[in-house]
Amino acid sequence: MALFGTDGVRGLANGPLTADLALTLAQATAVVLGQGRIAEARKAAGKRLTAVVARDPRISGEFLTAAVAAGLASSGVDVLDAGVIPTPAAAYLVADIDADFGVMISASHNPAPDNGIKIFARGGVKLPDAVEARIEEAMAGPKLQPTGGEVGRVRRFADAEDRYVVHLLASLPHRLNGLHVVLDCANGAASGVSPETFRDAGAKVTVIGADPDGLNINDGVGSTHLDRLAAEVVRTGADVGIAHDGDADRCLAVDADGRIIDGDQIMAILAVAMKTRGVLAHDTLVATVMSNLGLHRAMADHGISVEQTGVGDRYVLERMNEGRFGLGGEQSGHVIMREFATTGDGLLTGLHLCAEMARQGKTLAELASVMTVFPQVLVNVKGVERSRATDDDVTAAVAVAEVELGDTGRVLLRPSGTEPMVRVMVEAADSETAQAIADRLADVVRG
């Protein structure tokens, strides 16, 4: 089984993801990413390569960061330890200081016992599949073993957070003066930097989920647990709630009445606003196949094209880079604003969403009304071969369902990339119809 998944290496810390594995992975990363024209030129000039290393507050991040730093330094790479900061901050800093690569220790929205290792190439971009494969292969090969003054140094990246905050504030088209924002930081990597940044942008801020102890990350808080945020927004009479996940590369929102505003709705708001301001590149939004039909309808109504990709923000970014598009993302709240970030950035997204509320003088509910959300039902059919999604009887059943729905809905069957399972997704004008068709198709997939 491949070591790298859809977003780096992830698993139970001290289970599959050990200190030994982290050290070996770091050494292999130094071998592979230490190649290339720029890296070779730096080494020829007598300079060591540099890597930014950061983590979220999970307790296991402490020993995994130490192992990664040891692997890099023992390979002749200077390490700048940025401490606890969001994943998008780490990516930004790699580009900002022209580091050779970066490593983020985080398992995002997963529970505290899990952890992960994400690697960024020069410029703060995620690695292509082919490069990840080369790193995995290099783990079994010879390591770099410099001696004396050629080994790397490990230093604290003292102004890492300040650099990121200045970058976020400089990106805003409008200050947040007059807005009351409730922030849910998921007891994660944004717990320090997000409240600071929203306050600096002019908002009144109420904070929940910002007391990380190494074990409570994502525990009943954050973008995967929105009930507490919704209740706090209503209780305090706030204008908006913003939820991050553990590593703050996601943003979901809650309006003043406690209604959830998902990633599709956030993208719709930002896309229309950017087009109105003349800054939406090629008047195009990039979204995944899982994005709601309502998003496509809303974009068509506003003269905005939608490019579709497979599920995963790395594929969204890939298409954005190919077409030089400026905005893309996922329903889950990974939103990429290419002018300012190389990955999903929950703080950037939340700030710009709030900036549009302040700029237009509208509530979040008013802004979100640009898109009508079609009821969406997802059924995971487990224990079946992934190829089942394209068998003749399944294809025929899907065709019947599509005729039944007409232009009032859609069907998507998606095999899991990691286990024997087929996901059946149905959208329709009402939830009862969506559920009935999804259940019917799931029965066909089960055979």
Side-chain angles (χ1 to χ4, degrees):
M1 181 180 291
L3 180 65
F4 286 88
T6 55
D7 199 13
V9 177
R10 194 173 293 184
L12 179 65
N14 252 2
L17 186 54
T18 63
D20 285 344
L21 187 147
L23 186 143
T24 304
L25 180 62
Q27 290 173 321
T29 299
V31 170
V32 174
L33 298 187
Q35 302 170 358
R37 180 178 55 83
I38 296 176
E40 294 298 339
R42 287 187 176 177
K43 287 188 283 189
K47 298 178 181 178
R48 287 192 293 266
L49 301 186
T50 301
V52 174
V53 176
R55 65 181 180 91
D56 71 23
R58 289 165 215 268
I59 191 170
S60 61
E62 297 173 4
F63 78 77
L64 289 171
T65 298
V68 167
L72 295 176
S74 68
S75 301
V77 178
D78 283 343
V79 174
L80 287 174
D81 184 352
V84 175
I85 58 172
T87 289
Y92 167 73
L93 292 167
V94 171
D96 187 48
I97 68 167
D98 194 27
D100 296 281
F101 51 93
V103 182
M104 179 71 190
I105 313 297
S106 174
S108 191
H109 60 282
N110 283 26
D114 292 342
N115 218 321
I117 301 174
K118 305 180 186 182
I119 302 170
F120 296 100
R122 185 184 306 281
V125 299
K126 291 185 177 181
L127 301 181
D129 293 344
V131 176
E132 289 182 342
R134 286 171 54 203
I135 291 174
E136 186 168 347
E137 183 179 347
M139 291 176 69
K143 307 299 185 288
L144 302 173
Q145 293 181 303
T147 59
E150 298 303 311
V151 300
R153 305 294 297 271
V154 181
R155 296 186 176 90
R156 174 79 177 132
F157 196 156
D159 63 342
E161 189 172 294
D162 291 342
R163 284 173 177 261
Y164 179 55
V165 171
V166 168
H167 161 68
L168 291 173
L169 294 174
S171 77
L172 285 178
H174 198 283
R175 286 185 56 78
L176 312 188
N177 295 15
L179 283 185
H180 180 185
V181 182
V182 179
L183 294 177
D184 183 346
C185 300
N187 291 322
S191 295
V193 68
S194 188
E196 172 191 351
T197 308
F198 275 82
R199 289 189 181 106
D200 286 350
K204 174 185 175 182
V205 177
T206 298
V207 185
I208 63 174
D211 296 300
D213 62 9
L215 297 171
N216 61 358
I217 189 169
N218 301 315
D219 186 9
V221 289
S223 62
T224 53
H225 304 279
L226 293 169
D227 289 350
R228 185 179 167 196
L229 175 63
E232 190 68 10
V233 169
V234 172
R235 186 189 72 80
T236 59
D239 299 296
V240 56
I242 298 294
H244 305 307
D245 61 339
D247 70 337
D249 63 353
R250 296 189 192 192
C251 169
L252 293 179
V254 171
D255 71 14
D257 295 318
R259 288 185 295 258
I260 294 171
I261 307 298
D262 69 15
D264 284 342
Q265 294 167 286
I266 292 171
M267 287 192 292
I269 293 167
L270 294 179
V272 171
M274 290 169 68
K275 184 174 188 289
T276 300
R277 291 190 284 119
V279 295
L280 182 64
H282 307 295
D283 290 339
T284 297
L285 171 70
V286 181
T288 76
V289 293
M290 293 299 288
S291 280
N292 194 273
L293 179 60
L295 177 64
H296 293 262
R297 294 280 183 88
M299 296 300 93
D301 289 345
H302 287 83
I304 297 171
S305 300
V306 179
E307 292 272 331
Q308 281 191 304
T309 75
V311 176
D313 63 334
R314 64 187 298 173
Y315 303 115
V316 172
L317 182 60
E318 212 171 75
R319 184 69 194 104
M320 291 174 69
N321 288 335
E322 288 170 357
R324 304 195 69 77
F325 303 125
L327 181 66
E330 299 184 281
Q331 193 179 69
S332 61
H334 284 118
V335 177
I336 304 169
M337 305 184 74
R338 188 171 169 271
E339 181 181 355
F340 307 112
T342 59
T343 186
D345 189 329
L347 278 74
L348 181 73
T349 303
L351 287 163
H352 278 255
L353 180 65
C354 292
E356 283 307 320
M357 293 175 62
R359 188 179 73 85
Q360 297 186 43
K362 293 183 177 180
T363 66
L364 182 54
E366 288 172 327
L367 292 180
S369 68
V370 70
M371 171 184 161
T372 299
V373 179
F374 278 59
Q376 188 179 80
V377 171
L378 179 66
V379 178
N380 291 325
V381 184
K382 299 181 179 180
V384 299
E385 292 300 321
R386 297 194 290 271
S387 60
R388 188 78 181 107
T390 55
D391 283 354
D392 290 345
D393 61 329
V394 175
T395 302
V398 169
V400 170
E402 288 175 336
V403 170
E404 184 179 340
L405 289 167
D407 62 359
T408 65
R410 68 180 181 126
V411 175
L412 176 68
L413 265 64
R414 190 169 68 88
S416 168
T418 58
E419 56 184 311
M421 181 169 70
V422 173
R423 294 183 172 91
V424 178
M425 190 274 285
V426 177
E427 288 172 347
D430 61 86
S431 55
E432 292 79 9
T433 299
Q435 187 70 61
I437 293 176
D439 289 341
R440 190 175 76 211
L441 290 175
D443 286 341
V444 175
V445 172
R446 292 187 189 99

